[in-house]
Amino acid sequence: MQELSKTYSPKDIEGKWYAAWEKNKLFTPKPEENAKPYTIVIPPPNVTGILHMGHALNNTIQDILIRWHRMKGDISLWIPGTDHAGIATQNVVERRLAKDGKKTRDDLGRERFIKEVWAWKEEHGSTIVKQLRRLGASCDWTRERFTMDSGLSNAVREAFVRLYEKGLIYRGSYIINWCPRCKTALSDEEAPHKDLEGMLYYIKYPIKGKKGEHVTVATTRPETMLGDTAVAVNPHDKRYRSLLKEKVILPLIERELSVIEDAWVDPEFGSGVVKITPAHDPNDFEIGKRHKLAEINILTPDGRVNENGKQYKGLDRFEARKKIVEDLKEQGLLVKVVSHLHAVGHCYRCHTVVEPYLSEQWFVRMKPLAEPAVKAVKDGRLKFYPDRWTKVYLNWMENIRDWCISRQIWWGHQIPVWYCKNCGEIIVSRTTPSECKKCGSKALKQDEDVLDTWFSSWLWPFSTLGWPEKTEDLAYFYPTSDLVTAPEIIFFWVARMIMAGCEFMGDIPFRAVYIHGTVRTDTGQKMSKSLGNIIDPLEIIDKIGADALRFSIILITATGQDVFLSQQKFDLGRNFTNKIWNAARFSFTQLEGFKEGSWELGMDPSKLSLVNRWILDRLYQAVRAVEKSLGQYRFNEAANEIYRFVWGNFCDWYLELIKPVLYAEGDSKTKTETKKVLFFVLDKTLRLLHPLMPFITEEIWQLLAGYTAEKPEASISLATWPYPEENFRNESADTTVSFIQQAVAGIRDYRAGLNIPLQKLLGAVLVVSDEPARKEINSARNDFMQLGRLEKLEVVPSFARPREGQWVSRPLVAGSLKGEVWIDVGGLVDIEEARKRLRAKIQEKRSIKEMVEKKLKNRSFLENAPADVIEEDRAKLENIDWELDRLLDLHNQLS
């Protein structure tokens, strides 16, 4: 007998099998001529990261896909790796240096600081990689990459130089998003806007030479007035015609400002007169260019007022705001202050309010790159799942702005540009130059900025395969197949990868993009450390195992929808792993000494017993449904199909229905047949489960191989994926067993409703008009009687309710098969007492129904509760209605 412990212990199994998989290089494919490749690149987690529930969901989905395709025979490669995460990693190391009492980054200097970061990376950078192994991620770790390894660094330089040579990379002074905390530029995507309740300040700007006359301007950022170089009105605003000849005086600074006309000015905003600050507002910058206005930067990189702010020099921008408002008020120049809701950019890393800031930066021209990437989606070569993301992608791409790619930090890919100190020549090179190509001077200085982290990440699908070298992997595995990612990085990463693939490889980087939802708490909050509502996936794995976590999170995550998690929801997976384990233990006890199992059925399904034909039919339906669901990226539907088949059909019915055969004395043809089917169905069930639950299926499958003389694969992960065998389809068996199941359910309902103990056996009459069906049912009557706890069973074409006894009945309908089940409860229950008890239950159910209905009519509940909570209550209401119908029917039959 193959030994399975009494209870499932993930800790004893998971580490053992992952080590075996890795040792035997099961996840390390080699290109094979005439074989179909299937490739996924992992969204590289930050090297600073630790596994959270978002990672757990994302990587479980990827692992399901890669294991499924591996079993289907595709040459399946999942490329892992991590991202150097420029700003995030630099911040982590700077905080560590401060905590350890070491010098600051500036004290250390660039070279020594970079050594500190690499040392930190070597010490901590593999944390999330180890955690992904615990989740069961079947990546090819021999091909693991890092966005700053030598190969990817070469790719970054190659991409930069190519784009520069095509005129798609340029340097210029523009308004960019600036983080005073990180002291670096940010792209638009890295400075998401949040609505803030701020203030709108109305300020008097005196008109020169006209004592007592002024114009009123409105601003949300009064500190930026220090950099004003004009005021503007709309050319169609008749109120200010006479103002155009005048000059106004900038309060506090006393600078003369011209009055200009520009169509951008909204006459409805404030007074219709706006201040123009070209160095601190993107719209003002464009107006300034049109009108050749001076650009006065009033802030230092850390957000303090510089010398252009005169008496306010040295103040933090928000301190300056407060002081300026006080001074304006004191001088009688503050008209009013009103509350104003406005969208303000924040640093995506440290959440500091960003500053629109005039700065010289490097940019990529995006419109030429976007055109082929838009076309690829419009012509259907690349698809988004769910489809609603297609519109989001196209809208962003068709309105794309140039990408600011330079960052004023030290950790990252230093921009491959050198400046000659002698003649000023700019050298853009793939390799580090030794001298100026123009004057021959060796006095060269490299640009101090680094590239945006995403500049290396957008090359990920092909740089990880060896580009710009023409490697065997690149030729075979590119383009990749599927990308699985979260919605928040569609613009950061997904769109840019599509553009990069089209530009550098001449082909899209993947054929399909699956966007999963965000992991939230069961009340709908986003999980975050600051809110203290995080569920740690590693703690869940420690308690119940990776398989239970994986199955739980997939089962409750609808396609593309947010997932609402609580600790209790992981009970689903834990209970399911225990169910699978116990089913395998029972099967092994029945297969003891048996060696005739076969990976192929080897029998004519139509010649088998009713119950065996039925389970093969249900297996066929499950395999077909799971295959279809996985192919449509409906992972929760696939999980539900497997769950229903394993728990409902295989465990609760098939294993119970075959017990009379297996427990019968001696050997028989039917017993041998049943053991063969049990072996076959358990094998195919484990294969179906494997992509979702790799560890428990490997453990059971390896032991199952002891019941066959045939040689198994080295691992279930290499076993052939089940395919729907058409000769297993048996509608007659499906209908007949469904009919039996309804009858058993009816008997159990009445037993429970009338409090009849299990040890009291019942007598039943099953009415079936169809003669072939009666014959089939009679062939399985022992199974039926055991499940229904019956001492007597009659299967008849018709039945008239006898006058004696107390008979209750349940109508049965399964496909075209119709009938009834009758049981006599006379002498087993006190009828009046039973009716009284049923009335109490009916009243209880009606009270619960009323409460749930009231809740579902509450507008506030419907507007604020998470969708799955609302759906849960609707399902509860439906179930209560079903229970009420059953109770009322039973009560009415007890006359």
Side-chain angles (χ1 to χ4, degrees):
M1 176 183 169
Q2 306 302 313
E3 287 293 335
L4 282 181
S5 59
K6 189 174 181 181
T7 56
Y8 178 55
S9 175
K11 289 180 181 178
D12 298 334
I13 289 168
E14 294 179 351
K16 172 185 76 174
W17 283 118
Y18 202 95
W21 295 332
E22 206 166 349
K23 180 182 177 182
N24 293 311
K25 297 189 173 178
L26 299 188
F27 311 143
T28 304
K30 293 179 181 177
E32 291 183 21
E33 193 175 351
N34 302 320
K36 177 185 170 187
Y38 178 82
T39 317
I40 292 179
V41 289
I42 199 171
N46 288 351
V47 72
T48 58
I50 58 170
L51 195 72
H52 57 63
M53 276 300 172
H55 292 129
L57 173 62
N58 177 271
N59 287 281
T60 296
I61 292 171
Q62 290 179 84
D63 199 45
I64 288 170
L65 287 169
I66 205 77
R67 287 181 184 273
W68 176 46
H69 280 275
R70 191 180 290 123
M71 295 177 78
K72 283 161 71 76
D74 298 336
I75 307 304
S76 301
L77 171 63
W78 185 7
I79 302 174
T82 49
D83 193 297
H84 67 277
I87 296 173
T89 306
Q90 180 158 311
N91 285 346
V92 166
V93 176
E94 286 192 77
R95 285 196 297 269
R96 176 179 168 176
L97 289 172
K99 185 178 179 182
D100 293 347
K102 295 183 180 178
K103 296 179 179 179
T104 66
R105 164 172 63 120
D106 295 318
D107 292 333
L108 288 173
R110 185 171 197 141
E111 190 175 338
R112 284 180 62 195
F113 178 75
I114 293 299
K115 285 182 179 177
E116 288 280 351
V117 182
W118 275 109
W120 182 91
K121 188 263 178 188
E122 294 307 312
E123 185 180 347
H124 300 285
S126 62
T127 299
I128 196 161
V129 166
K130 293 173 183 173
Q131 292 169 341
L132 286 170
R133 285 176 165 90
R134 288 203 63 195
L135 186 68
S138 58
C139 304
D140 180 0
W141 299 106
T142 68
R143 287 179 167 98
E144 183 182 352
R145 304 305 300 266
F146 176 55
T147 52
M148 281 182 62
D149 67 31
S150 60
L152 268 67
S153 295
N154 290 338
V156 165
R157 282 197 175 187
E158 179 69 27
F160 186 96
V161 174
R162 284 197 195 184
L163 292 175
Y164 181 82
E165 290 173 346
K166 288 183 71 172
L168 293 176
I169 282 183
Y170 63 95
R171 192 185 192 204
S173 291
Y174 294 92
I175 292 286
I176 47 87
N177 302 293
W178 184 266
C179 175
R181 159 62 183 80
C182 299
K183 287 189 268 191
T184 183
L186 301 170
S187 68
D188 291 340
E189 294 72 38
E190 292 171 319
H193 284 73
K194 299 177 186 177
D195 285 337
L196 292 184
E197 188 66 52
M199 296 294 175
L200 189 60
Y201 301 86
Y202 288 78
I203 304 167
K204 293 178 183 178
Y205 279 43
I207 299 174
K208 183 184 178 183
K210 295 191 176 182
K211 192 173 182 180
E213 293 189 34
H214 65 272
V215 293
T216 301
V217 301
T219 178
T220 57
R221 297 156 64 218
E223 68 279 8
T224 61
M225 66 186 292
L226 303 175
D228 286 359
T229 54
V231 295
V233 297
N234 189 287
H236 302 293
D237 193 339
K238 296 178 181 178
R239 293 175 295 172
Y240 299 110
R241 291 264 187 226
S242 61
L243 188 62
L244 297 173
K245 304 172 189 175
E246 309 293 344
K247 297 280 187 182
V248 299
I249 304 300
L250 177 63
L252 309 179
I253 300 296
E254 302 298 318
R255 186 164 55 241
E256 285 189 15
L257 306 177
S258 300
V259 180
I260 61 173
E261 292 181 296
D262 197 279
W264 174 84
V265 178
D266 179 4
E268 302 300 320
F269 179 77
S271 64
V273 182
V274 297
K275 57 192 280 308
I276 304 299
T277 319
H280 292 282
D281 183 275
N283 295 311
D284 291 6
F285 176 79
E286 297 298 334
I287 293 172
K289 289 296 182 189
R290 289 196 289 271
H291 296 273
K292 297 183 173 55
L293 299 177
E295 296 163 346
I296 302 174
N297 183 0
I298 58 106
L299 293 176
T300 61
D302 63 352
R304 293 183 176 275
V305 177
N306 63 20
E307 64 279 0
N308 292 326
K310 296 188 177 179
Q311 65 267 36
Y312 302 101
K313 181 183 176 182
L315 291 178
D316 171 79
R317 55 186 169 152
F318 296 123
E319 291 173 353
R321 177 182 299 179
K322 186 177 179 182
K323 183 72 170 82
I324 286 168
V325 170
E326 287 174 358
D327 291 349
L328 288 169
K329 191 174 182 181
E330 188 177 314
Q331 294 182 26
L333 296 174
L334 186 64
V335 179
K336 62 178 177 178
V337 181
V338 297
S339 295
H340 180 70
L341 185 69
H342 59 147
V344 179
H346 288 70
C347 175
Y348 80 118
R349 277 296 166 202
C350 68
H351 310 296
T352 300
V353 172
V354 299
E355 194 67 38
Y357 194 73
L358 181 63
S359 177
E360 192 170 44
Q361 303 288 340
W362 289 93
F363 296 85
V364 178
R365 297 185 202 281
M366 300 303 282
K367 283 195 180 295
L369 296 174
E371 287 169 7
V374 167
K375 188 174 184 296
V377 172
K378 285 187 172 180
D379 66 19
R381 282 179 292 136
L382 191 153
K383 295 183 182 296
F384 282 86
Y385 298 88
D387 183 60
R388 66 177 182 274
W389 291 108
T390 304
K391 186 177 180 181
V392 175
Y393 166 85
L394 291 174
N395 182 62
W396 186 76
M397 292 289 278
E398 289 166 352
N399 295 280
I400 199 165
R401 296 171 62 181
D402 286 357
W403 175 15
C404 176
I405 56 170
S406 45
R407 298 290 179 270
Q408 289 65 50
I409 58 175
W410 290 348
W411 173 244
H413 297 278
Q414 197 166 350
I415 291 176
V417 174
W418 289 261
Y419 306 98
C420 178
K421 293 179 181 179
N422 186 51
C423 71
E425 179 72 1
I426 297 175
I427 304 163
V428 178
S429 175
R430 292 170 175 82
T431 57
T432 302
S434 58
E435 62 181 36
C436 175
K437 60 185 179 182
K438 185 176 181 181
C439 71
S441 171
K442 296 185 183 299
L444 303 180
K445 179 179 174 60
Q446 187 173 0
D447 194 306
E448 292 192 352
D449 290 352
V450 302
L451 289 163
D452 179 6
T453 293
W454 300 100
F455 195 90
S456 51
S457 300
W458 79 323
L459 310 175
W460 188 252
F462 48 91
S463 64
T464 53
L465 292 168
W467 185 89
E469 304 302 320
K470 294 181 179 179
T471 64
E472 183 184 25
D473 273 3
L474 185 62
Y476 186 78
F477 290 110
Y478 188 90
T480 69
S481 307
D482 291 320
L483 178 75
V484 179
T485 190
E488 55 265 25
I489 55 174
I490 289 179
F491 310 132
F492 278 125
W493 192 49
V494 178
R496 288 172 181 163
M497 281 193 292
I498 298 169
M499 288 185 272
C502 293
E503 172 66 20
F504 299 113
M505 294 296 297
D507 198 359
I508 53 176
F510 25 74
R511 305 301 183 199
V513 179
Y514 176 72
I515 308 289
H516 59 73
T518 300
V519 179
R520 300 183 181 277
T521 67
D522 56 351
T523 59
Q525 282 184 314
K526 191 169 181 177
M527 289 189 179
S528 72
K529 287 182 182 177
S530 60
L531 293 173
N533 60 6
I534 282 178
I535 299 175
D536 184 350
L538 295 171
E539 287 182 8
I540 300 297
I541 291 172
D542 286 339
K543 289 177 185 175
I544 62 173
D547 287 335
L549 180 146
R550 290 165 59 116
F551 193 81
S552 299
I553 202 168
I554 292 299
L555 190 69
I556 63 174
T557 304
T559 304
Q561 300 298 311
D562 287 353
V563 53
F564 300 92
L565 271 185
S566 65
Q567 293 277 356
Q568 292 71 33
K569 289 187 178 178
F570 291 103
D571 290 345
L572 285 166
R574 183 196 61 194
N575 294 339
F576 192 46
T577 54
N578 290 336
K579 190 78 170 178
I580 295 164
W581 190 257
N582 290 333
R585 286 187 76 242
F586 169 79
S587 300
F588 289 175
T589 62
Q590 301 309 307
L591 293 172
E592 186 175 358
F594 187 71
K595 279 286 185 179
E596 296 178 48
S598 175
W599 307 121
E600 300 299 328
L601 184 63
M603 297 182 286
D604 182 352
S606 65
K607 300 290 198 305
L608 303 178
S609 70
L610 170 66
V611 172
N612 286 328
R613 279 183 282 128
W614 169 76
I615 195 62
L616 290 175
D617 174 82
R618 286 301 170 102
L619 175 65
Y620 161 84
Q621 293 186 51
V623 169
R624 190 174 64 170
V626 171
E627 177 82 10
K628 181 181 178 182
S629 295
L630 291 178
Q632 295 175 341
Y633 306 93
R634 298 182 178 277
F635 302 101
N636 70 309
E637 291 182 12
N640 270 294
E641 289 291 347
I642 294 172
Y643 184 85
R644 281 194 291 268
F645 173 74
V646 173
W647 195 301
N649 295 316
F650 183 69
C651 294
D652 282 0
W653 286 100
Y654 181 68
L655 295 183
E656 294 301 319
L657 283 165
I658 63 175
K659 280 180 180 178
V661 173
L662 296 175
Y663 289 169
E665 292 292 329
D667 290 324
S668 66
K669 181 183 175 184
T670 305
K671 183 183 280 191
T672 301
E673 165 201 302
T674 299
K675 287 185 176 182
K676 285 183 177 180
V677 172
L678 174 59
F679 176 94
F680 178 82
V681 173
L682 181 55
D683 165 49
K684 296 302 179 283
T685 299
L686 293 170
R687 296 184 196 212
L688 267 187
L689 277 165
H690 180 71
L692 285 85
M693 307 176 81
F695 294 109
I696 191 171
T697 51
E698 184 76 84
E699 178 74 8
I700 297 171
W701 193 80
Q702 291 289 342
L703 295 175
L704 181 66
Y707 299 108
T708 177
E710 298 170 4
K711 186 179 179 181
E713 296 285 354
S715 164
I716 189 173
S717 64
L718 302 179
T720 305
W721 176 253
Y723 59 92
E725 301 186 52
E726 293 294 332
N727 63 338
F728 287 0
R729 183 73 180 103
N730 194 309
E731 192 174 343
S732 171
D734 187 35
T735 301
T736 305
V737 174
S738 293
F739 191 84
I740 291 172
Q741 288 173 322
Q742 286 186 39
V744 171
I747 293 167
R748 288 173 174 173
D749 275 354
Y750 287 152
R751 184 185 285 277
L754 296 172
N755 285 356
I756 301 173
L758 278 175
Q759 60 267 31
K760 288 192 177 182
L761 301 182
L762 304 174
V765 176
L766 191 60
V767 183
V768 193
S769 58
D770 184 81
E771 186 177 348
R774 286 202 306 277
K775 187 176 178 182
E776 287 270 49
I777 291 168
N778 270 315
S779 72
R781 64 184 294 115
N782 289 342
D783 311 331
F784 183 14
M785 289 178 70
Q786 176 164 314
L787 287 174
R789 301 290 295 157
L790 303 176
E791 61 180 354
K792 182 181 177 184
L793 171 67
E794 292 182 64
V795 183
V796 297
S798 61
F799 182 72
R801 179 175 182 169
R803 292 186 178 182
E804 65 277 4
Q806 179 64 60
W807 291 84
V808 291
S809 68
R810 170 74 58 84
L812 308 172
V813 179
S816 59
L817 204 57
K818 297 179 181 178
E820 296 171 304
V821 61
W822 289 82
I823 59 172
D824 182 9
V825 298
L828 295 175
V829 295
D830 181 321
I831 300 300
E832 283 308 313
E833 188 60 34
R835 284 169 61 85
K836 181 180 176 183
R837 197 165 49 248
L838 286 168
R839 283 194 293 271
K841 282 186 179 179
I842 290 166
Q843 186 55 47
E844 180 189 346
K845 294 294 179 186
R846 282 174 173 164
S847 297
I848 296 171
K849 179 182 178 180
E850 187 179 334
M851 183 179 66
V852 176
E853 283 178 332
K854 187 177 179 181
K855 193 175 178 183
L856 288 170
K857 288 176 183 176
N858 185 310
R859 181 176 293 181
S860 176
F861 171 73
L862 295 175
E863 289 175 354
N864 297 306
D868 68 328
V869 173
I870 296 170
E871 195 54 43
E872 197 175 295
D873 278 338
R874 284 178 177 151
K876 186 189 292 184
L877 188 62
E878 193 175 314
N879 190 55
I880 290 168
D881 283 334
W882 182 87
E883 289 177 343
L884 268 172
D885 287 344
R886 292 288 186 265
L887 291 169
L888 287 165
D889 173 63
L890 181 54
H891 179 270
N892 293 336
Q893 289 193 61
L894 294 177
S895 56

